[in-house]
Amino acid sequence: MLPSEIPVLIVGAGPTGSMASLLLARLGVDNLVIDRRGGVQRAPAAHVVNARTFEIARAAGVDMDAIAAAAKDPADANWVYWVTKLGGQTLGRLPFERQGGDQLALTPTPLRNLSQNRFEPILQDALRRTGRTPCWRHQWESAVEEGNRVRSRILDLDSGRMHEVASRFLVAADGAGSRVRSSLGIGVLGPDRIQGFVMIHFRARLRGIPEVPPGVLFFVCDPAGGGGAFVIHDLDREAVYMHPFDPEAESENAYDPARCAALVREALEDPDLELAVETVSTWSMTAQVAERYREGRIFLAGDAAHRFPPTGGLGLNSGVQDAHNLAWKLAAVLEGWAPESLLASYESERRPVAQTNADQSLRNALRLVEVAQALGVSDLSPASRARFEATLSDPAGLARVGEAIARQAEHFDMPGLQLGFVYARGALSRDPADPLPDVDVRRFTPTGCPGARLPHAWLENGEARRSLLDLVPLGRFLLLAGPDGQAWVDALAKVDGPPIEGRRLSGDFVRDLEEWLDAAGIGAAGALLVRPDQHVAWRAQSAAPDPAGSLSRALRAVLSGDPTA
């Protein structure tokens, strides 16, 4: 039985909706999640979970040991290959993201390949520990806003019964075809169909085949094989083959399991490999961002707000980061320590990040064409196949292919976007003389600039591997002062406003403190004010004559959602 009233209704129980529910629950905000599906994702979908998303999962109380056990060993997922066919000639390869131990200097949780059908159950386990489970097979139908409530009509797909639920706020995390977004008349901007694919999920053991080295992506270059790509979700048991599909020229009904198995075999060097097709679906690559993220008390998040090409692995991660940004703000308003104007900062902060991610993912997708062009492949015709074979037999041609592959490196190396995004305006206070750092896609440089994620540092606390990020409470601000900044901590007693914890840092507590202070951009007497989502709200680079006054002015600007306030 659905409740008649709830503070927050969340539509969609994928990674975005589940993380929003989990964070709100941990913040003490009662919420309800509904989903028209019958349960969690069964087939592999997204597979790249980046460091920032894992940091958020860590803060939300997700079982990180379960995450580590479910994720692919980096040794199995460190490379992306261009091949004639899977198991055939290798034309080139590139490192796949940064998954090594060197990343522990920048984050406590480096990027891993973790398939969505393994990630979702772990999030559900975390939700169950808070006493919540989604209401599956419940479809959101419509809503009307009345005063300070949103009244939603929800259909139980099994019983046919219609329910009405009133909520203070509604979070639409119901995917790319969002019913909520459509009902609000919110359009999306950007190309709606760049390319179509049939996704063929199949079971097979690929480990141990000498011609199939450990890797996560294999682009099939032989036009006779269809020119698709393999995503290896588990070398021991499952993979996905993405085969080009034109919905205007053919029907998805033509792709029955037998035909799909034949397509997979055409893209294999060994067509006799034992395999079994599990699921088949079609999808279109798009690069779209919603015109706006909010209508009154209804907020869009995840794929309901943005869709990116998979060339970059930013979709699922951006959705989880949407939830992290929005959850603390909803909790602050519901608890009464922030005005509703704070909620305007959700769109002003997250939408520019989504647009950047969409643009970069589209560039990555379009740049892949350079490899096909170097091979002389333009379509699946015999003439194209002849040019392909001529290139393979020409050392100069192979050199051009190698150069084209080398130009794809940025596609698979984007720490600057994954960890280094900085909010330019919103719930923060930045001195006009404190400029935004330049964003370098391939380089992440930690910074304490307002709007940036708090720089990570390891704490000196014995055997436990704790990060400075772990000190940030989900429902409070955190003031971090330098070793000579006790005046900032003492000033909190004179500041009226939101709940804030204060801590003076020392070399006995923070490993490599001098390096961290330099990255944060503060002196020994300076301080950072950190939001509950681990982003810096305000920075004092040194001491101030009136620390309480400085903090009070910064907090007014932050909570107003307007950095000019």
Side-chain angles (χ1 to χ4, degrees), residues 475-501:
R476 296 173 179 268
F477 283 75
L478 175 66
L479 180 73
L480 293 175
D484 298 334
Q486 185 62 39
W488 291 111
V489 178
D490 295 341
L492 291 177
K494 303 176 184 178
V495 173
D496 293 326
I500 306 177
E501 293 181 10

Side-chain angles (χ1 to χ4, degrees), residues 254-278:
Y255 287 87
D256 57 33
R259 184 186 178 193
C260 288
L263 289 171
V264 173
R265 294 186 188 283
E266 287 178 12
L268 294 170
E269 187 71 16
D270 176 11
D272 296 324
L273 178 72
E274 184 177 344
L275 64 89
V277 172
E278 292 285 315

Side-chain angles (χ1 to χ4, degrees), residues 54-265:
F54 282 141
E55 290 173 354
I56 295 167
R58 185 178 170 111
V62 175
D63 185 344
M64 300 308 291
D65 289 336
I67 291 282
K72 290 186 67 175
D73 186 326
D76 282 350
N78 257 340
W79 296 96
V80 53
Y81 289 85
W82 281 259
V83 295
T84 52
K85 293 185 178 184
L86 185 62
Q89 180 182 348
T90 294
L91 304 177
R93 71 174 188 171
L94 289 172
F96 187 84
E97 297 294 349
R98 304 190 188 191
Q99 304 178 53
D102 59 323
Q103 295 305 294
L104 292 172
L106 301 173
T107 174
T109 54
L111 177 148
R112 289 289 182 268
N113 281 271
L114 175 61
S115 302
Q116 187 172 335
N117 61 331
R118 297 186 182 187
F119 189 31
E120 285 194 17
I122 296 172
L123 293 178
Q124 292 305 316
D125 286 343
L127 265 179
R128 277 191 287 273
R129 291 197 299 274
T130 71
R132 288 164 179 78
T133 57
C135 290
W136 303 107
R137 300 281 297 157
H138 281 74
Q139 178 171 282
W140 184 92
E141 292 289 318
S142 63
V144 60
E145 190 168 330
E146 298 176 349
N148 64 351
R149 294 288 187 277
V150 178
R151 297 195 177 277
S152 295
R153 295 174 70 248
I154 299 168
L155 176 65
D156 183 330
L157 294 173
D158 291 327
S159 70
R161 181 179 178 183
M162 190 71 73
H163 300 266
E164 184 175 283
V165 175
S167 59
R168 286 283 303 277
F169 299 103
L170 187 154
V171 178
D174 53 340
S178 172
R179 295 170 66 89
V180 179
R181 187 190 66 228
S182 296
S183 75
L184 297 173
I186 298 177
V188 290
L189 305 175
D192 64 348
R193 191 168 67 216
I194 302 164
Q195 187 176 6
F197 293 92
V198 176
M199 186 191 81
I200 305 169
H201 169 215
F202 66 96
R203 297 277 178 179
R205 179 176 172 82
L206 296 169
R207 189 187 300 279
I209 300 175
E211 295 80 8
V212 182
V216 66
L217 277 173
F218 291 81
F219 291 99
V220 176
C221 298
D222 188 338
F230 286 91
V231 183
I232 311 300
H233 290 271
D234 188 327
L235 276 167
D236 292 305
R237 62 180 182 176
E238 67 182 340
V240 162
Y241 177 52
M242 298 293 184
H243 181 76
F245 168 73
D246 184 356
E248 294 184 356
E250 52 188 339
S251 169
E252 62 182 283
N253 295 330
Y255 287 87
D256 57 33
R259 184 186 178 193
C260 288
L263 289 171
V264 173
R265 294 186 188 283

